[in-house]
Amino acid sequence: MRSPRRHPLLAPVLLCALAVLAARPTDAGDEDGGSATGAQVARLYADAATATRQYEDGRREAEAQRSKALEYEERLDRQRRKIDGMHEDLGRIARAQYRGSGGLPLTAQMLLADDPDELMRGQHALTRADVAVNNAIGRSLRAEARLAADEAKAQAAWRALEERNAELAELKKEIEGKLEAARARLEGEADASVTAGSCPGAVRLDQPDEDFDRSWVAPVRTYALSASFGSGGARWANRHTGQDFAVPVGTPVRSVGAGRVVKVSCGGAFGMQVVVQHAGGYYTQYAHLAAVAVDQGDRVRPGQWVGQSGSTGNSTGPHLHFEVRVTPEVGSALDPVPWLSERGVSL
């Protein structure tokens, strides 16, 4: 069963510029062991999330710039139609003047006119009309020039944004390629540790404080729900004892609430796992991990990273197996979905 619910971006939003992202060290050559790989995966998750956010911001900005350019073009078209109409009016006035005077010079018209004063008044009126029309045309031409300049600026800004988005897209692709390679390396190292029966040391990951603003949280930020509590399957002796969250290898896994780490182990059906004790006699388990971020005895806060998801143990693919129990051991599991719902966490 898959849930249509999607949560915010997995990695925390980091306010770093494109140049900083490009310059960040993403190779694990300066560190040793699985701890280095886990930390690298966490950094790459953050970088990919930041590049994605910047790309989406730029795309929205480019669309707004494109709309502004189209608006300028529509205003220009209206202005051009208005000017064309004024030109037609001026042409009609000129033709009327020519037909009314018979093409004769003004002096000749005055000599032949029955009332020269009336002729002069008419001529003055036409002159004033011409001046008014010419002034209006001048104003329209200046307005058209301003609009054209504004449109050129908008188009240039839009092209710059498109180029920036292309750079961000290329950067995002590069980061995702490194992330995929690091995930594979982390998974291989985790499998080797579980096979050997020796857990690697805790990966002390840099985590932003913004994750600690609630009393209870979901164990991962972005996910699709897969196998649910009580479901049947050939891979379980009886029924499924937890809720599975389908997530990529290396996804930061969070303690759902405040508590104390009572178990960190490798091997067996659950692979690499962490168990946390909470107030009220409840325990939560985080299994099939690729790395752990805590040691036994550590105190944890709601939302604190306790490990990174993987596919160790009895697992057919990357996911987090999450359980709620009334003892630290198997056999006392509760359905975690309503348990979390009672604490304000809707999956």
Side-chain angles (χ1 to χ4, degrees), residues 166-186:
E167 293 174 356
L168 284 170
E170 186 62 30
L171 175 65
K172 182 171 176 285
K173 181 179 178 182
E174 178 185 351
I175 292 172
E176 288 174 345
K178 290 181 179 179
L179 178 57
E180 190 62 30
R183 281 173 178 161
R185 190 162 61 251
L186 178 62

Side-chain angles (χ1 to χ4, degrees), residues 42-237:
R43 288 198 304 270
L44 287 167
Y45 265 121
D47 286 353
T50 302
T52 299
R53 178 185 58 79
Q54 290 183 331
Y55 176 79
E56 289 302 312
D57 288 347
R59 183 186 59 77
R60 285 190 291 269
E61 191 176 346
E63 287 300 318
Q65 204 67 44
R66 188 201 306 270
S67 298
K68 186 181 294 184
L70 292 174
E71 180 182 344
Y72 280 131
E73 185 60 41
E74 291 174 359
R75 289 171 60 184
L76 276 170
D77 287 342
R78 290 195 298 270
Q79 195 65 49
R80 290 189 188 103
R81 289 193 296 271
K82 182 178 179 180
I83 291 170
D84 288 343
M86 297 176 72
H87 287 170
E88 291 178 4
D89 290 341
L90 182 59
R92 283 194 294 272
I93 291 172
R95 288 193 296 272
Q97 287 178 314
Y98 185 82
R99 287 194 300 269
S101 64
L104 294 175
L106 179 59
T107 303
Q109 293 181 48
M110 291 178 65
L111 290 173
L112 297 174
D114 295 331
D115 186 350
D117 290 339
E118 183 66 27
L119 178 63
M120 286 301 296
R121 286 193 295 271
Q123 188 64 39
H124 288 158
L126 289 174
T127 300
R128 287 195 299 273
D130 287 346
V131 170
V133 170
N134 288 335
N135 287 341
I137 290 174
R139 288 194 300 271
S140 296
L141 290 175
R142 288 191 296 273
E144 182 174 359
R146 287 194 301 270
L147 285 170
D150 289 343
E151 182 187 40
K153 290 178 182 178
Q155 292 284 7
W158 176 73
R159 285 193 296 271
L161 284 169
E162 286 288 292
E163 292 173 3
R164 175 177 174 271
N165 279 352
E167 293 174 356
L168 284 170
E170 186 62 30
L171 175 65
K172 182 171 176 285
K173 181 179 178 182
E174 178 185 351
I175 292 172
E176 288 174 345
K178 290 181 179 179
L179 178 57
E180 190 62 30
R183 281 173 178 161
R185 190 162 61 251
L186 178 62
E187 189 171 20
E189 292 168 354
D191 287 339
S193 295
V194 171
T195 300
S198 60
C199 284
V203 182
R204 299 301 180 178
L205 304 173
D206 293 331
Q207 182 177 0
D209 290 338
E210 66 184 25
D211 281 353
F212 310 123
D213 58 354
R214 297 181 59 190
S215 298
W216 297 93
V217 298
V220 286
R221 279 188 176 273
T222 302
Y223 55 82
L225 296 179
S226 49
S228 58
F229 179 81
S231 58
R235 300 190 66 83
W236 307 304

Side-chain angles (χ1 to χ4, degrees), residues 235-311:
R235 300 190 66 83
W236 307 304
N238 295 297
R239 292 284 179 175
H240 192 232
T241 54
Q243 174 63 59
D244 285 354
F245 296 79
V247 288
V249 171
T251 300
V253 173
R254 310 183 296 178
S255 175
V256 296
R260 183 174 63 88
V261 178
V262 296
K263 184 176 184 179
V264 176
S265 66
C266 295
F270 290 117
M272 203 176 295
Q273 64 168 319
V274 171
V275 177
V276 176
Q277 181 182 19
H278 305 279
Y282 294 104
Y283 298 81
T284 54
Q285 179 203 33
Y286 311 83
H288 304 310
L289 301 177
V292 294
V294 290
D295 288 316
Q296 188 165 316
D298 284 355
R299 303 295 304 186
V300 293
R301 292 183 285 174
Q304 182 173 335
W305 294 350
V306 297
Q308 291 170 278
S309 64
S311 187

